[in-house]
Amino acid sequence: MAMEVGFLGLGIMGKAMATNLLRKGFKLTVWNRTLSKCDELVEIGASVGETPAAVVKKCKYTIAMLSDPSAALSVVFDTDGVLEQVVSGKSYIDMSTVDVDTSSKISEAITSRGGHFLEAPVSGSKKPAEDGQLVILAAGEKALYEEAIPFFDVLGKKSFFLGQVGNGAKMKLVVNMIMGSMMNAFSEGLVLADRSGLDSKTLLDVLDLGAIANPMFKLKGPTMIQNNYSPAFPLKHQQKDMRLALAQGDAIAVSMPVAAAANEAFKKARSMGLGDLDFSAVYETLKHLQHSS
């Protein structure tokens, strides 16, 4: 199974995903804006493409995992970008978390040149990416989805085909909006317990035994109590997803007061210089408010 696959974007997620594909026997050609990030993957068998265009030229299938809409667009449309080498038979699978407009623009550009397009954002952060346990939210060309199953089986524990392009982006933003709102409620609860003279670890035990027990509280609670915000999912990306989800709601007049408040908390965290830490560092905004009162 030495299928030649391209992979663009080797951040926290992309690096873990590309590593899994290599370990499962795929031949990978990788690119990253900072090319030195390719070195670790070269050590385990990857080739390097000098530009996104060079990767697409070499590979029938190219996967992208980029940080935000502007990165996703620039990799496709800029000089030496993906589009320059898209011809009939080339397939592009964008697994970045972007908004519907971005996904649609990329889809139209790829398909107008005879290429095939699938959006496939993922639910899951660093550890699920490393363990091949992501949830893949694909939309676009059904035939390409079927062809991509061997990749998705390596990268994730489950993949969904959601229909037309845009549905993957919409679903991902809904999921991350809920997650960001939950993280803020959780943070408020931890601070309230602590300021009320209760033991935070006991609160975590109580939560874990009740109806709102969930893997995020179980995973993040102990590290938050220790002020450890090593980034599994950077806060700046969580805030970007809140912003995009709120815009999605705005376009169709969906009232989202809880998400809007959560977005403001993440923005406050960014203003405090916490953007590159894990999204659970939003907890620090509440502690900060308490200290300054």
Side-chain angles (χ1 to χ4, degrees):
M1 184 179 61
M3 194 186 289
E4 188 79 59
V5 183
F7 204 103
L8 311 176
L10 300 174
I12 290 172
M13 299 292 288
K15 179 181 157 192
M17 293 159 70
T19 299
N20 282 337
L21 289 169
L22 280 163
R23 290 199 173 129
K24 285 291 195 288
F26 289 96
K27 284 178 67 180
L28 228 57
T29 299
V30 298
W31 172 88
N32 193 72
R33 200 175 294 280
T34 310
L35 274 175
S36 60
K37 281 202 178 173
C38 299
D39 294 349
E40 279 182 61
L41 289 157
V42 170
E43 285 172 22
I44 55 172
S47 306
V48 177
E50 291 295 311
T51 63
V55 174
V56 173
K57 184 175 184 180
K58 184 177 177 187
C59 306
K60 180 179 178 185
Y61 299 97
T62 300
I63 296 169
M65 189 56 161
L66 304 158
S67 57
D68 57 26
S70 64
L73 289 166
S74 90
V75 161
V76 173
F77 291 102
D78 283 2
T79 305
D80 294 322
V82 166
L83 209 54
E84 290 186 10
Q85 292 295 334
V86 170
V87 292
S88 180
K90 294 285 186 183
S91 294
Y92 189 61
I93 302 167
D94 194 347
M95 303 187 76
S96 319
T97 297
V98 299
D99 57 303
V100 176
D101 286 350
T102 299
S103 209
S104 298
K105 269 182 204 154
I106 294 170
S107 174
E108 284 162 22
I110 300 284
T111 54
S112 70
R113 299 191 59 147
H116 305 286
F117 179 75
L118 195 69
E119 62 171 358
V122 302
S123 180
S125 58
K126 184 181 179 185
K127 183 149 176 38
E130 289 170 346
D131 296 344
Q133 292 292 299
L134 296 167
V135 177
I136 295 159
L137 307 172
E141 291 189 47
K142 186 71 187 282
L144 178 52
Y145 173 74
E146 302 291 352
E147 290 172 39
I149 292 288
F151 314 140
F152 294 161
D153 283 349
V154 169
L155 300 173
K157 61 182 174 183
K158 172 83 174 168
S159 60
F160 292 87
F161 181 74
L162 302 173
Q164 67 186 26
V165 166
N167 286 353
K170 289 176 190 171
M171 182 71 85
K172 175 63 199 282
L173 292 174
V174 171
V175 170
N176 276 21
M177 179 272 287
I178 295 169
M179 181 171 78
S181 299
M182 279 175 62
M183 178 52 77
N184 275 280
F186 185 45
S187 297
E188 288 180 16
L190 284 171
V191 170
L192 180 60
D194 181 56
R195 295 288 188 272
S196 303
L198 301 171
D199 180 66
S200 298
K201 291 195 176 90
T202 305
L203 171 63
L204 295 182
D205 289 341
V206 173
L207 288 172
D208 198 43
L209 292 166
I212 56 167
N214 68 78
M216 185 179 82
F217 291 178
K218 195 179 178 75
L219 184 70
K220 299 294 185 186
T223 55
M224 290 163 71
I225 290 168
Q226 293 164 358
N227 305 316
N228 172 9
Y229 307 111
S230 175
F233 180 42
L235 185 142
K236 63 185 178 187
H237 296 332
Q238 172 68 69
Q239 194 267 312
K240 174 259 303 183
D241 292 348
M242 297 305 285
R243 173 171 57 79
L244 295 175
L246 287 164
Q248 184 173 313
D250 192 56
I252 50 176
V254 174
S255 173
M256 293 155 63
V258 175
N263 184 46
E264 292 303 320
F266 286 120
K267 276 160 55 179
K268 167 85 174 165
R270 280 182 58 204
S271 77
M272 290 165 60
L274 307 175
D276 289 322
L277 299 180
D278 191 71
F279 80 111
S280 54
V282 75
Y283 180 40
E284 290 293 316
T285 64
L286 297 164
K287 288 159 68 175
H288 178 76
L289 290 172
Q290 292 285 344
H291 292 157
S292 61
S293 59

